[in-house]
């Protein structure tokens, strides 16, 4: 967020809600079914909501007005591992 890591979360089957409120805006992310999706944004154009559910390596959700980038990655990944179960917000 704004060039700094906000939080790392495990992408679990169970639902988790991540609510982010900053001077740049308000966004809500929902973790479920081993992936993540932005479910709320107060940005003028809510393009990040249209990016949908992500769960695969290197997939991203970006909200430019809020300065948020969510990316799926695996901190224990080997050179040939493409399965990802974590996200950086």
């Amino acid at each position: 967020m704004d060039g700094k890591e906000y939080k790392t979360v495990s992408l679990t089957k169970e639902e988790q809600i991540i609510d982010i409120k900053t001077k740049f805006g308000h966004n809500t992310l929902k973790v479920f079914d081993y992936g993540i999706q932005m479910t709320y944004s107060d940005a003028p154009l809510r393009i990040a909501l249209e990016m949908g559910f992500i769960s695969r390596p290197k997939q991203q959700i970006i909200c430019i007005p809020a300065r948020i980038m969510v990316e799926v990655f695996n901190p224990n990944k080997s050179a040939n591992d493409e399965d990802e179960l974590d996200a950086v917000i």
Side-chain angles (χ1 to χ4, degrees), residues 55-59 72-74 76-85:
S55 62
R56 301 293 303 156
K58 302 176 186 160
Q59 288 182 317
V72 176
F73 82 102
N74 181 352
N76 302 316
K77 172 179 139 168
S78 68
N80 297 322
D81 186 8
E82 290 298 321
D83 291 329
E84 305 293 335
L85 295 175

Side-chain angles (χ1 to χ4, degrees), residues 8-67:
T8 299
V9 297
S10 293
L11 299 181
T12 60
K13 183 163 182 62
E14 296 77 30
E15 185 176 302
Q16 303 173 55
I17 301 296
I18 303 157
D19 203 41
I20 304 170
K21 294 181 182 177
T22 69
K23 65 181 180 180
F24 302 112
H26 178 197
N27 297 74
T28 303
L29 295 156
K30 179 179 172 183
V31 173
F32 63 102
D33 291 337
Y34 304 105
I36 190 165
Q37 181 174 6
M38 188 168 292
T39 58
Y40 175 80
S41 174
D42 65 358
L45 296 174
R46 292 171 178 87
I47 297 167
L49 299 179
E50 297 173 13
M51 293 181 180
F53 178 83
I54 62 172
S55 62
R56 301 293 303 156
K58 302 176 186 160
Q59 288 182 317
Q60 298 177 338
I61 299 171
I62 299 170
C63 181
I64 293 173
R67 300 181 183 187

